[in-house]
């Protein structure tokens, strides 16, 4: 069947032909056809603005009101944009044809010369500075990469939002940890967290799926970014070959002048030659493949960041459907029972905290350390499982109205408060165990993890009062802030400081040399206070790593430089033959007299 009306059903045409006014088209049809809406004058109407009313057809006030009402309804159905960064005026909007249309933004504009220059600078700096280790070189490479993303976002018409600035500043701050600390494990956490915050800054996610996937979303822009860069170079090279030639000639002349005069000045003055050799990375044939790989990685990473800034994937378009709401009794009764169990346990904990551990020893027969170790891991798992219970409870919570919201808050609020007391009890147990046996990397790590879980519980309580709009981003910020604080406090330095303090106060008859000698250079200032032969035994391995390492300045941390200065002034003594008996007299950090194994906890 044809969609066209038949001749019999077609209404008779009125005389007048083209002068007969047509009814106004709906706004959606007008936009699809590329014509203005009914109440917006088009080019032909503008040309006939001086015509008489008999020559120009005008819509009636009722028709104009209907057109405005239809456009308002269409705007309400469109909803808010998926990204907190908005595109500029006039940017095309993709049709909602499915999941891909909701996630993919319009194509980015042609890559700008400023973006290309920043990308090339990132690749060159990566090849020059990242081959010798991690230090301040990460910040050096991150600056042009950030500029490439900024220029690309500016060209696409995106605006800088407060949360975007928070992610960007936080990511750059995390890259300061490798420049300050020599320990590898906080450096690894800081670099991974900086990458996640940088990806969030580019994508601007705000929901739970957006924050979780958006922190890794930069990988999705690697291939599109390379294709975008190649197309931009081709387009600009074909249209301005003369400018490219002038740029290449200028760069070549500048390099020749630098090499010639730099060589002359270096040969004329030994101090200037030493300064150049310390500032400039070494260029060797053997490092060529590795530097080429770093150049390619820097180029691809900078292009991916710029492409994500110009056309970010809207990960907030991924939605998770809420679970089927349960009845009030079915939902609340198990949680109330769980609250009562928590209350009973916490009542006992309060008795212990206020009554003292001497009472616990009289009742249970356990020592302080045994009592602390017995329950810390269980309380840590209890905290994690409680967060899972809260997430599932919110998914299936009743959502009928104000009464249901009040019920949810009155049940989950006390559960969060009781769990905070469990967190405090776990941290108190860890403090007791550390006071007995000293601090280790595992102990400080799990204590930091438990402390962050307490912060998450406080954020959940705040979301219950003020709303959960900012909860995903607040949790991400708290995690990044925790990683930054963990790196800045220097965990290895804190471990050495605590164990040396216990040895100086007489709380430990010896210091565990086998453990502290494996710490990083961050521990040198604290271990330097030990008496001989403990000092030399603890610092011998660290001195071999620090003094015989020719790492350049851009890959050397401040902790390593400080350790090198201390050990150059006061090197270790002896040959290490008397170190075997040091730290093994009596009960040390984790050693038992009748046990030949080390307690890693």
């Amino acid at each position: 069947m044809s969609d066209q009306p038949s001749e019999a059903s077609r209404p008779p045409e009125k005389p007048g032909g083209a002068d007969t006014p047509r009814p106004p088209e709906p706004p959606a049809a007008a936009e699809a056809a590329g014509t203005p809406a009914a109440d917006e004058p088009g080019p032909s109407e503008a040309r006939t603005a001086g015509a008489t009313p008999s020559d120009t057809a005008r819509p009636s006030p009722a028709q104009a009101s209907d057109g405005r009402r239809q456009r308002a309804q269409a705007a309400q159905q469109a909803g808010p944009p998926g990204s907190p960064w908005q595109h500029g005026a006039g940017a095309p909007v993709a049709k909602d044809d499915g999941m891909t249309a909701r996630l993919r933004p319009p194509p980015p504009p042609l890559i700008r010369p400023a973006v290309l220059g920043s990308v090339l600078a990132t690749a060159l700096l990566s090849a020059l500075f990242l081959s010798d280790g991690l230090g301040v070189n990460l910040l050096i490479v991150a600056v042009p990469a950030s500029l490439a993303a900024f220029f690309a976002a500016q060209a696409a018409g995106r605006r800088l939002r407060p949360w975007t600035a928070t992610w960007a500043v936080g990511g750059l701050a995390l890259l300061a940890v490798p420049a300050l600390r020599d320990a590898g494990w906080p450096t690894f956490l800081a670099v991974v967290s900086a990458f996640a915050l940088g990806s969030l800054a580019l994508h601007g996610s705000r929901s739970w799926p957006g924050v979780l996937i958006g922190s890794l979303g930069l990988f999705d822009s690697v291939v599109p970014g390379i294709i975008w860069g190649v197309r931009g170079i081709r387009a600009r090279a074909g249209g301005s070959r003369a400018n490219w030639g002038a740029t290449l000639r200028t760069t070549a002349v500048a390099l020749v002048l630098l090499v010639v005069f730099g060589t002359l000045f270096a040969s004329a003055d030994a101090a200037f030659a030493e300064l150049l050799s310390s500032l400039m990375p070494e260029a060797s044939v053997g490092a060529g493949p590795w530097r080429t790989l770093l150049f390619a990685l820097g180029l691809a990473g900078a292009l991916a960041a710029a492409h994500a800034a110009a056309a970010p994937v809207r990960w907030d378009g991924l939605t998770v459907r809420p679970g089927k709401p349960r009845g009030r009794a079915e939902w609340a009764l198990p949680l109330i029972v769980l609250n009562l169990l928590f209350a009973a346990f916490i009542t006992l904990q309060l008795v212990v905290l206020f009554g003292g551990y001497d009472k616990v020893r009289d009742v249970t027969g356990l020592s302080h350390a045994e009592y602390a170790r017995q329950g810390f891991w269980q309380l840590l798992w209890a905290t994690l499982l409680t967060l899972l219970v809260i997430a599932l409870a919110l998914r299936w919570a009743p959502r009928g109205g104000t009464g249901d919201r009040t019920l949810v808050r009155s049940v989950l609020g006390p559960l969060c408060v009781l769990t905070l007391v469990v967190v405090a009890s776990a941290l108190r147990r860890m403090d007791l165990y550390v006071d007995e046996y000293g601090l280790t990397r595992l102990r400080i790590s799990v204590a930091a993890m438990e402390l962050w879980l307490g912060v998450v519980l406080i954020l959940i309580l705040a979301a219950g009062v003020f709303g959960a709009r900012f909860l995903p981003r607040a949790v991400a910020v708290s995690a990044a802030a925790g990683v930054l604080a963990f790196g800045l406090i220097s965990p290895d330095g804190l471990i050495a400081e605590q164990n040396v303090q216990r040895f100086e106060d007489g709380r430990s008859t010896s210091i565990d040399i086998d453990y502290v000698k494996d710490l990083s250079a961050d521990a040198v200032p604290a271990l330097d206070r030990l008496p001989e032969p403990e000092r030399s035994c603890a610092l011998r391995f660290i001195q071999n790593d620090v003094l015989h390492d020719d790492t350049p300045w851009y890959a050397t941390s401040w902790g390593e430089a400080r350790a090198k200065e201390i050990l150059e002034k006061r090197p270790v003594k002896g040959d290490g033959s008397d170190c075997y008996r040091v730290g093994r007299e009596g009960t040390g950090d984790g050693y038992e007299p009748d046990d030949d194994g080390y307690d890693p906890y």
Side-chain angles (χ1 to χ4, degrees):
M1 298 177 60
S2 175
D3 294 333
Q4 299 295 331
S6 63
E7 295 292 335
S9 61
R10 185 174 299 168
E13 296 182 1
K14 295 181 180 181
D19 296 333
T20 303
R22 298 171 57 188
E25 295 181 1
E31 292 176 2
T35 59
D39 57 345
E40 297 179 358
S44 61
E45 295 176 357
R47 288 193 300 266
T48 59
T52 60
S54 60
D55 297 328
T56 304
R58 297 179 180 272
S60 64
Q63 292 174 341
S65 177
D66 292 340
R68 287 192 294 268
R69 187 181 301 109
Q70 290 175 357
R71 284 194 300 277
Q73 293 176 357
Q76 292 177 359
Q77 293 176 359
S83 174
W85 269 2
Q86 295 178 349
H87 289 270
V93 180
K95 296 180 181 180
D96 190 6
D97 295 331
M99 180 64 68
T100 304
R102 292 199 301 270
L103 298 181
R104 292 291 177 183
L110 187 66
I111 190 169
R112 285 186 173 181
V115 178
L116 287 174
S118 301
V119 168
L120 183 59
T122 304
L124 290 174
L125 293 176
S126 299
L128 292 175
F129 293 117
L130 293 184
S131 61
D132 298 301
L134 299 181
V136 71
N137 49 8
L138 282 178
L139 278 173
I140 295 175
V141 173
V143 169
S146 302
L147 289 177
F150 174 77
F151 292 143
Q154 192 177 43
R158 297 179 65 186
R159 293 184 296 169
L160 183 65
R161 297 301 183 98
W163 275 104
T164 304
T166 301
W167 302 130
V169 173
L172 293 176
L174 284 166
L175 291 181
V177 174
L180 297 175
R181 304 302 173 209
D182 180 60
W185 53 305
T187 295
F188 173 78
L189 293 176
V191 171
V192 172
S193 301
F195 176 86
L197 290 192
S199 184
L200 287 175
L202 297 173
H203 293 88
S205 303
R206 65 178 68 183
S207 64
W208 281 113
V211 170
L212 294 176
I213 303 178
S215 60
L216 302 175
L218 193 58
F219 290 109
D220 185 75
S221 299
V222 173
V223 176
I226 295 175
I227 298 174
W228 176 56
V230 171
R231 290 176 177 173
I233 292 175
R234 287 179 178 176
R236 295 193 178 278
S240 55
R241 293 183 179 180
N243 294 335
W244 281 99
T247 302
L248 292 177
R249 287 193 300 270
T250 303
T251 304
V253 171
L255 289 177
V256 170
L257 292 176
L258 285 176
V259 171
V260 171
F261 286 94
T263 303
L264 289 175
F265 290 149
S267 61
D269 189 278
F272 186 75
E274 184 178 357
L275 176 63
L276 286 182
S277 62
S278 62
L279 291 178
M280 298 300 296
E282 295 183 2
S284 60
V285 179
W290 175 235
R291 293 185 185 275
T292 303
L293 177 61
L294 290 174
F295 180 89
L297 291 177
L299 186 70
L303 282 174
H307 184 272
V313 180
R314 297 184 175 122
W315 296 112
D316 285 334
L318 297 174
T319 57
V320 179
R321 295 181 180 179
K324 181 180 179 181
R326 307 296 179 179
R328 292 185 178 182
E330 179 185 1
W331 179 86
L333 185 59
L335 295 175
I336 292 175
V337 173
L338 183 62
N339 278 338
L340 294 177
L341 177 62
F342 269 68
F345 176 78
I346 289 170
T347 301
L348 178 61
Q349 296 302 298
L350 293 177
V351 171
V352 171
L353 290 176
F354 289 107
Y357 282 93
D358 293 335
K359 184 176 181 180
V360 175
R361 178 182 295 179
D362 296 337
V363 175
T364 63
L366 300 175
S367 65
H368 289 189
E370 292 171 343
Y371 182 80
R373 181 176 182 178
Q374 184 188 53
F376 174 81
W377 291 102
Q378 290 86 340
L379 296 182
L380 177 61
W381 279 107
T383 306
L384 290 170
L385 292 177
T386 302
L387 290 175
L388 179 61
V389 168
I390 292 173
L392 296 177
L394 290 174
R395 178 174 174 81
W396 289 303
R399 296 181 290 271
T402 305
D404 289 337
R405 289 195 295 270
T406 303
L407 175 65
V408 171
R409 292 177 179 177
S410 61
V411 173
L412 294 184
L415 181 60
C416 291
V417 174
L418 295 173
T419 310
L420 281 175
V421 182
V422 172
V423 171
S425 177
L427 293 175
R428 179 68 182 100
R429 288 170 184 256
M430 176 55 67
D431 179 68
L432 183 67
Y433 196 80
V434 168
D435 184 69
E436 186 74 20
Y437 288 122
L439 194 61
T440 63
R441 288 176 172 177
L442 179 61
R443 294 165 196 170
I444 193 174
S445 300
V446 295
M449 179 68 178
E450 183 74 14
L451 183 61
W452 176 69
L453 293 177
V455 173
V456 173
L457 287 169
I458 294 176
L459 292 176
I460 294 175
L461 282 172
V465 177
F466 302 105
R469 178 183 178 186
F470 298 107
L471 182 59
R473 289 176 287 184
V475 172
V477 167
S478 67
V483 172
L484 178 60
F486 190 72
L488 293 181
I489 65 173
S490 181
D492 280 7
L494 189 62
I495 291 169
E497 176 69 29
Q498 200 270 350
N499 284 279
V500 170
Q501 189 66 43
R502 292 178 65 252
F503 180 74
E504 292 176 344
D505 295 343
R507 287 179 291 167
S508 176
T509 58
S510 62
I511 190 166
D512 187 1
I513 299 297
D514 282 342
Y515 188 83
V516 298
K517 69 181 179 62
D518 292 328
L519 296 176
S520 65
D522 299 329
V524 169
L527 297 178
D528 186 56
R529 304 203 320 258
L530 288 172
E532 295 291 351
E534 284 83 358
R535 177 187 178 274
S536 294
C537 293
L539 294 177
R540 186 172 305 278
F541 288 93
I542 302 177
Q543 177 176 282
N544 293 335
D545 294 336
V546 171
L547 296 186
H548 299 96
D549 190 9
D550 56 350
T551 304
W553 64 271
Y554 50 80
T556 301
S557 64
W558 178 72
E560 189 176 359
R562 184 176 56 169
K564 185 176 182 179
E565 181 182 359
I566 293 174
L567 292 174
E568 285 178 345
K569 292 180 179 179
R570 296 181 56 197
V572 299
K573 301 177 180 179
D575 57 359
S577 59
D578 56 345
C579 293
Y580 181 75
R581 62 178 179 83
V582 176
R584 293 172 174 82
E585 299 174 357
T587 302
D589 180 17
Y591 281 100
E592 299 294 338
D594 57 346
D595 188 8
D596 57 355
Y598 177 65
D599 177 14
Y601 174 72

mmCIF file of all heavy atoms in Angstrom, residues 275-297:
data_model
loop_
_atom_site.group_PDB
_atom_site.id
_atom_site.type_symbol
_atom_site.label_atom_id
_atom_site.label_comp_id
_atom_site.label_asym_id
_atom_site.label_seq_id
_atom_site.Cartn_x
_atom_site.Cartn_y
_atom_site.Cartn_z
ATOM 1 N N LEU A 275 78.012 20.507 33.581
ATOM 2 C CA LEU A 275 76.614 20.914 33.729
ATOM 3 C C LEU A 275 75.765 20.355 32.597
ATOM 4 O O LEU A 275 74.663 19.841 32.823
ATOM 5 C CB LEU A 275 76.524 22.441 33.765
ATOM 6 C CG LEU A 275 75.114 23.044 33.828
ATOM 7 C CD1 LEU A 275 74.419 22.635 35.122
ATOM 8 C CD2 LEU A 275 75.158 24.561 33.703
ATOM 9 N N LEU A 276 76.260 20.430 31.366
ATOM 10 C CA LEU A 276 75.510 19.892 30.228
ATOM 11 C C LEU A 276 75.336 18.384 30.344
ATOM 12 O O LEU A 276 74.263 17.850 30.054
ATOM 13 C CB LEU A 276 76.218 20.249 28.921
ATOM 14 C CG LEU A 276 76.119 21.693 28.433
ATOM 15 C CD1 LEU A 276 76.846 21.847 27.101
ATOM 16 C CD2 LEU A 276 74.665 22.120 28.286
ATOM 17 N N SER A 277 76.391 17.693 30.750
ATOM 18 C CA SER A 277 76.294 16.236 30.856
ATOM 19 C C SER A 277 75.331 15.801 31.942
ATOM 20 O O SER A 277 74.698 14.742 31.835
ATOM 21 C CB SER A 277 77.683 15.648 31.136
ATOM 22 O OG SER A 277 78.184 16.132 32.382
ATOM 23 N N SER A 278 75.199 16.603 33.006
ATOM 24 C CA SER A 278 74.262 16.248 34.074
ATOM 25 C C SER A 278 72.824 16.572 33.714
ATOM 26 O O SER A 278 71.887 15.917 34.181
ATOM 27 C CB SER A 278 74.641 16.977 35.376
ATOM 28 O OG SER A 278 74.559 18.385 35.197
ATOM 29 N N LEU A 279 72.632 17.607 32.871
ATOM 30 C CA LEU A 279 71.277 18.003 32.504
ATOM 31 C C LEU A 279 70.725 17.185 31.342
ATOM 32 O O LEU A 279 69.549 16.832 31.326
ATOM 33 C CB LEU A 279 71.240 19.492 32.144
ATOM 34 C CG LEU A 279 71.467 20.483 33.287
ATOM 35 C CD1 LEU A 279 71.438 21.909 32.757
ATOM 36 C CD2 LEU A 279 70.436 20.296 34.387
ATOM 37 N N MET A 280 71.556 16.904 30.365
ATOM 38 C CA MET A 280 71.095 16.222 29.159
ATOM 39 C C MET A 280 71.187 14.713 29.330
ATOM 40 O O MET A 280 72.147 14.198 29.900
ATOM 41 C CB MET A 280 71.922 16.656 27.949
ATOM 42 C CG MET A 280 71.809 18.131 27.638
ATOM 43 S SD MET A 280 70.113 18.618 27.266
ATOM 44 C CE MET A 280 69.824 17.667 25.777
ATOM 45 N N PRO A 281 70.172 13.975 28.863
ATOM 46 C CA PRO A 281 70.242 12.507 28.927
ATOM 47 C C PRO A 281 71.287 11.959 27.963
ATOM 48 O O PRO A 281 71.607 12.577 26.944
ATOM 49 C CB PRO A 281 68.825 12.077 28.518
ATOM 50 C CG PRO A 281 68.301 13.212 27.715
ATOM 51 C CD PRO A 281 68.919 14.451 28.285
ATOM 52 N N GLU A 282 71.825 10.792 28.317
ATOM 53 C CA GLU A 282 72.830 10.170 27.473
ATOM 54 C C GLU A 282 72.183 9.578 26.228
ATOM 55 O O GLU A 282 71.117 8.962 26.298
ATOM 56 C CB GLU A 282 73.560 9.067 28.246
ATOM 57 C CG GLU A 282 74.367 9.593 29.428
ATOM 58 C CD GLU A 282 75.123 8.475 30.115
ATOM 59 O OE1 GLU A 282 75.026 7.321 29.629
ATOM 60 O OE2 GLU A 282 75.798 8.750 31.111
ATOM 61 N N ALA A 283 72.858 9.756 25.101
ATOM 62 C CA ALA A 283 72.378 9.215 23.829
ATOM 63 C C ALA A 283 73.311 8.098 23.400
ATOM 64 O O ALA A 283 74.480 8.339 23.098
ATOM 65 C CB ALA A 283 72.331 10.306 22.765
ATOM 66 N N SER A 284 72.821 6.875 23.427
ATOM 67 C CA SER A 284 73.620 5.717 23.040
ATOM 68 C C SER A 284 72.855 4.897 22.022
ATOM 69 O O SER A 284 71.618 4.902 21.987
ATOM 70 C CB SER A 284 73.959 4.857 24.265
ATOM 71 O OG SER A 284 72.778 4.395 24.894
ATOM 72 N N VAL A 285 73.629 4.177 21.195
ATOM 73 C CA VAL A 285 73.000 3.356 20.167
ATOM 74 C C VAL A 285 72.221 2.204 20.783
ATOM 75 O O VAL A 285 71.146 1.822 20.302
ATOM 76 C CB VAL A 285 74.076 2.833 19.188
ATOM 77 C CG1 VAL A 285 73.453 1.961 18.113
ATOM 78 C CG2 VAL A 285 74.822 4.001 18.556
ATOM 79 N N GLY A 286 72.734 1.650 21.870
ATOM 80 C CA GLY A 286 72.053 0.513 22.497
ATOM 81 C C GLY A 286 70.687 0.857 23.057
ATOM 82 O O GLY A 286 69.799 0.007 23.102
ATOM 83 N N ALA A 287 70.501 2.119 23.486
ATOM 84 C CA ALA A 287 69.209 2.545 24.024
ATOM 85 C C ALA A 287 68.242 3.013 22.954
ATOM 86 O O ALA A 287 67.130 3.444 23.278
ATOM 87 C CB ALA A 287 69.405 3.658 25.054
ATOM 88 N N GLY A 288 68.658 2.945 21.681
ATOM 89 C CA GLY A 288 67.805 3.423 20.597
ATOM 90 C C GLY A 288 66.456 2.733 20.515
ATOM 91 O O GLY A 288 65.415 3.413 20.447
ATOM 92 N N PRO A 289 66.376 1.397 20.504
ATOM 93 C CA PRO A 289 65.059 0.741 20.433
ATOM 94 C C PRO A 289 64.155 1.080 21.610
ATOM 95 O O PRO A 289 62.939 1.285 21.436
ATOM 96 C CB PRO A 289 65.421 -0.747 20.397
ATOM 97 C CG PRO A 289 66.804 -0.794 19.882
ATOM 98 C CD PRO A 289 67.476 0.434 20.395
ATOM 99 N N TRP A 290 64.744 1.134 22.809
ATOM 100 C CA TRP A 290 63.934 1.456 23.988
ATOM 101 C C TRP A 290 63.399 2.883 23.923
ATOM 102 O O TRP A 290 62.237 3.143 24.241
ATOM 103 C CB TRP A 290 64.771 1.242 25.241
ATOM 104 C CG TRP A 290 64.124 1.634 26.526
ATOM 105 C CD1 TRP A 290 64.617 2.503 27.452
ATOM 106 C CD2 TRP A 290 62.874 1.179 27.057
ATOM 107 N NE1 TRP A 290 63.753 2.622 28.519
ATOM 108 C CE2 TRP A 290 62.673 1.823 28.299
ATOM 109 C CE3 TRP A 290 61.905 0.299 26.594
ATOM 110 C CZ2 TRP A 290 61.552 1.600 29.081
ATOM 111 C CZ3 TRP A 290 60.775 0.092 27.385
ATOM 112 C CH2 TRP A 290 60.607 0.724 28.598
ATOM 113 N N ARG A 291 64.228 3.816 23.472
ATOM 114 C CA ARG A 291 63.764 5.197 23.362
ATOM 115 C C ARG A 291 62.738 5.342 22.232
ATOM 116 O O ARG A 291 61.815 6.152 22.330
ATOM 117 C CB ARG A 291 64.954 6.130 23.120
ATOM 118 C CG ARG A 291 65.911 6.229 24.298
ATOM 119 C CD ARG A 291 66.989 7.263 24.039
ATOM 120 N NE ARG A 291 67.978 7.291 25.106
ATOM 121 C CZ ARG A 291 67.853 7.982 26.249
ATOM 122 N NH1 ARG A 291 66.762 8.701 26.447
ATOM 123 N NH2 ARG A 291 68.792 7.954 27.169
ATOM 124 N N THR A 292 62.905 4.565 21.170
ATOM 125 C CA THR A 292 61.910 4.597 20.095
ATOM 126 C C THR A 292 60.552 4.113 20.593
ATOM 127 O O THR A 292 59.504 4.691 20.260
ATOM 128 C CB THR A 292 62.375 3.730 18.918
ATOM 129 O OG1 THR A 292 63.652 4.200 18.467
ATOM 130 C CG2 THR A 292 61.374 3.786 17.773
ATOM 131 N N LEU A 293 60.566 3.056 21.409
ATOM 132 C CA LEU A 293 59.312 2.568 21.985
ATOM 133 C C LEU A 293 58.682 3.610 22.899
ATOM 134 O O LEU A 293 57.461 3.833 22.867
ATOM 135 C CB LEU A 293 59.565 1.269 22.748
ATOM 136 C CG LEU A 293 58.369 0.662 23.478
ATOM 137 C CD1 LEU A 293 57.253 0.314 22.501
ATOM 138 C CD2 LEU A 293 58.790 -0.561 24.282
ATOM 139 N N LEU A 294 59.497 4.274 23.706
ATOM 140 C CA LEU A 294 58.969 5.316 24.585
ATOM 141 C C LEU A 294 58.423 6.489 23.785
ATOM 142 O O LEU A 294 57.420 7.104 24.176
ATOM 143 C CB LEU A 294 60.066 5.786 25.545
ATOM 144 C CG LEU A 294 60.498 4.794 26.618
ATOM 145 C CD1 LEU A 294 61.683 5.336 27.408
ATOM 146 C CD2 LEU A 294 59.345 4.475 27.564
ATOM 147 N N PHE A 295 59.083 6.822 22.673
ATOM 148 C CA PHE A 295 58.560 7.885 21.797
ATOM 149 C C PHE A 295 57.180 7.509 21.271
ATOM 150 O O PHE A 295 56.258 8.342 21.263
ATOM 151 C CB PHE A 295 59.537 8.113 20.639
ATOM 152 C CG PHE A 295 59.100 9.181 19.679
ATOM 153 C CD1 PHE A 295 59.451 10.505 19.885
ATOM 154 C CD2 PHE A 295 58.331 8.866 18.565
ATOM 155 C CE1 PHE A 295 59.044 11.497 19.006
ATOM 156 C CE2 PHE A 295 57.921 9.843 17.673
ATOM 157 C CZ PHE A 295 58.277 11.172 17.897
ATOM 158 N N ALA A 296 57.032 6.262 20.813
ATOM 159 C CA ALA A 296 55.736 5.819 20.283
ATOM 160 C C ALA A 296 54.675 5.811 21.373
ATOM 161 O O ALA A 296 53.527 6.223 21.147
ATOM 162 C CB ALA A 296 55.876 4.437 19.655
ATOM 163 N N LEU A 297 55.044 5.361 22.580
ATOM 164 C CA LEU A 297 54.071 5.345 23.671
ATOM 165 C C LEU A 297 53.667 6.759 24.076
ATOM 166 O O LEU A 297 52.483 7.029 24.333
ATOM 167 C CB LEU A 297 54.656 4.601 24.869
ATOM 168 C CG LEU A 297 54.857 3.092 24.701
ATOM 169 C CD1 LEU A 297 55.517 2.497 25.944
ATOM 170 C CD2 LEU A 297 53.531 2.394 24.432
#
